[in-house]
Amino acid sequence: MKATPENAGALFMELTKFENLEGPSDMALGVKIPDPEYRHPGAGPAISLPGPDLALLDARPFSSMLQGRRSRRDFSKEQLPLEELSVLLYSTQGVMERTAYYHLRTVPSAGARHPLETFLCVNRVTGLEPGLYHYLPFSNAVEAVRTDKGEGEKWKDVCLGQEMVEDSAVDFIWTAVFYRAGWKYKQRGFRYIHLDAGHACQNLYLACEALGLGCCALAAFDDNGCARLLGVDGKEQFCLYMASVGKLPAPRHR
């Protein structure tokens, strides 16, 4: 079957069936395990985050969070406290346990490979200048890729003009470092990285519900434009999923 834009998805599903994967994986061949954490080559020194106060997630019962979860696109101009950002980052990619061969995070990942990296477009977060940041889960810190008051507008543009990207307090931008999954699963790993992104985003939704924040996932973006803004190659590491987060506007009185 010749690959075309019209059949690319169906061809992907066919070629990544187990029966079509040939030869052993790099893991089976004894190739060195890939590094579990990416460091952005152009970033500044790490900025430590406050330890995640998980008690903040206990304000509402879990059943209420499940029933209340919605995609919310309207945000106030209020700043997001750094303490709440720390809880959101831990809820989506926080490291709970680490050994020489694998580590466990607050979200599941195929084979505990955890190929996701979290970038942040910060618009209004206390203690952080507006700009682009990268999360370092093993040290509970962020590194500033650049500081720029116009960062939100740049991301709105590559997200096809969606206003919530600039109106939010912060946008979560998940990239995938494919080889972390491919090392074990070869081309089938492309299936798993999308599942991993879904796990992370659902945790973000639930954590936002617990904190009384708005959250809206988005996948409509210019892939090449995102890669340029992030400073990644778009092939070995590429943008996979995004979500806008912010304080909710005050309720309107009738």
Side-chain angles (χ1 to χ4, degrees), residues 67-80:
Q67 297 278 14
R69 188 216 58 75
R70 298 288 186 278
S71 290
R72 297 182 172 90
R73 297 168 175 81
D74 296 323
F75 307 111
S76 75
K77 297 299 183 183
E78 189 178 351
Q79 294 265 325
L80 180 72

Side-chain angles (χ1 to χ4, degrees), residues 125-141:
V125 175
T126 58
L128 294 177
E129 295 183 54
L132 181 68
Y133 293 79
H134 171 239
Y135 179 48
L136 303 172
F138 290 98
S139 52
N140 189 41

Side-chain angles (χ1 to χ4, degrees), residues 136-207:
L136 303 172
F138 290 98
S139 52
N140 189 41
V142 294
E143 51 184 4
V145 178
R146 60 178 170 268
T147 54
D148 185 345
K149 290 183 178 179
E151 193 67 31
E153 183 177 5
K154 296 176 186 177
W155 282 96
K156 181 187 75 171
D157 289 345
V158 299
C159 291
L160 314 184
Q162 296 181 76
E163 297 288 344
M164 66 179 178
V165 175
E166 188 176 12
D167 294 341
S168 67
V170 62
D171 300 298
F172 281 63
I173 304 155
W174 290 291
T175 68
V177 179
F178 172 71
Y179 184 60
R180 286 187 206 152
W183 173 80
K184 182 173 184 178
Y185 295 112
K186 304 177 66 177
Q187 290 296 293
R188 193 171 173 89
F190 277 107
R191 291 195 187 198
Y192 300 152
I193 59 176
H194 292 85
L195 302 178
D196 284 4
H199 300 322
C201 195
Q202 176 68 349
N203 269 24
L204 180 63
Y205 266 104
L206 295 177

